[in-house]
Amino acid sequence: MTYEEFADSRLGALLRYAVMLTGDEHTAQDLVQETMVRVQLNWRRVARSDSPDGYVRKMLTNQFIDLRRGSWLKRVLLRAEPAPVRAVPGDHADETAERDRVWSMLAGLPRQQRAALVLRYYEDLPDGDIAEVLGCAVGTVRSSISRALAALRTELVEVR
């Protein structure tokens, strides 16, 4: 498989995954673009791996976790706060408000916990694959997911 074939077949899925991680389509596009540049530069290593898709997903996840590292200016400018909730006229206002509330709750989680949740519930990966993507032990994955869900439950109870 060539880089071009890989990019054509997996770009949409990688973008959806990045949107779930970042909560913002524009940041997700930047994240995928930066990751795919790195994939192209290291294509031989990626292609030789047992699972090129998993390798690239791991690269994307690491890029996401490292997104805020760097200068204080980047941390201030790249703050991952969701857009303010706007009242949408029509029947979908409640659904939109609920979706925005979930996004804001997810944005409040540490990046590794959020990545673990997205890999488990959006990508539907088992603990072993999540551990491989995040570069940690299976027990750490389970702990991260448990802590993230506990934090979401606590915040949900406080809101209601």
Side-chain angles (χ1 to χ4, degrees):
M1 174 182 289
T2 67
Y3 169 78
E4 291 78 15
E5 292 169 341
F6 177 83
D8 286 342
S9 67
R10 296 302 301 154
L11 199 57
L14 290 171
L15 184 58
R16 287 189 301 274
Y17 173 58
V19 168
M20 293 303 295
L21 285 175
T22 63
D24 175 53
E25 188 173 342
H26 300 290
T27 305
Q29 290 172 350
D30 292 342
L31 186 65
V32 169
Q33 180 178 355
E34 188 172 330
T35 301
M36 291 307 287
V37 167
R38 291 179 182 204
V39 167
Q40 186 177 27
L41 293 173
N42 297 302
W43 179 246
R44 286 185 182 157
R45 185 178 329 144
V46 173
R48 281 193 310 258
S49 70
D50 292 338
S51 170
D53 186 44
Y55 193 96
V56 172
R57 189 181 299 134
K58 182 173 183 169
M59 290 175 72
L60 184 82
T61 304
N62 288 339
Q63 284 289 112
F64 167 71
I65 291 171
D66 292 342
L67 187 63
R68 286 195 183 174
R69 291 185 184 163
S71 73
W72 66 271
L73 184 59
K74 279 185 180 179
R75 287 192 301 268
V76 170
L77 294 178
L78 295 177
R79 180 171 290 148
E81 294 177 5
V85 177
R86 297 182 192 122
V88 178
D91 298 332
H92 302 291
D94 291 336
E95 292 174 16
T96 301
E98 182 69 17
R99 185 185 66 231
D100 288 345
R101 192 174 90 199
V102 169
W103 275 117
S104 68
M105 289 169 48
L106 285 172
L109 293 173
R111 290 181 176 272
Q112 185 141 352
Q113 288 180 8
R114 187 179 350 165
L117 282 180
V118 170
L119 288 167
R120 164 68 62 77
Y121 296 108
Y122 184 73
E123 292 288 320
D124 201 26
L125 293 179
D127 291 342
D129 291 351
I130 296 170
E132 186 178 322
V133 169
L134 295 178
C136 63
V138 173
T140 304
V141 168
R142 292 179 183 148
S143 170
S144 294
I145 291 172
S146 176
R147 288 180 182 153
L149 290 175
L152 292 175
R153 276 188 213 101
T154 301
E155 191 169 339
L156 190 60
V157 169
E158 288 174 2
V159 169
R160 291 179 188 234

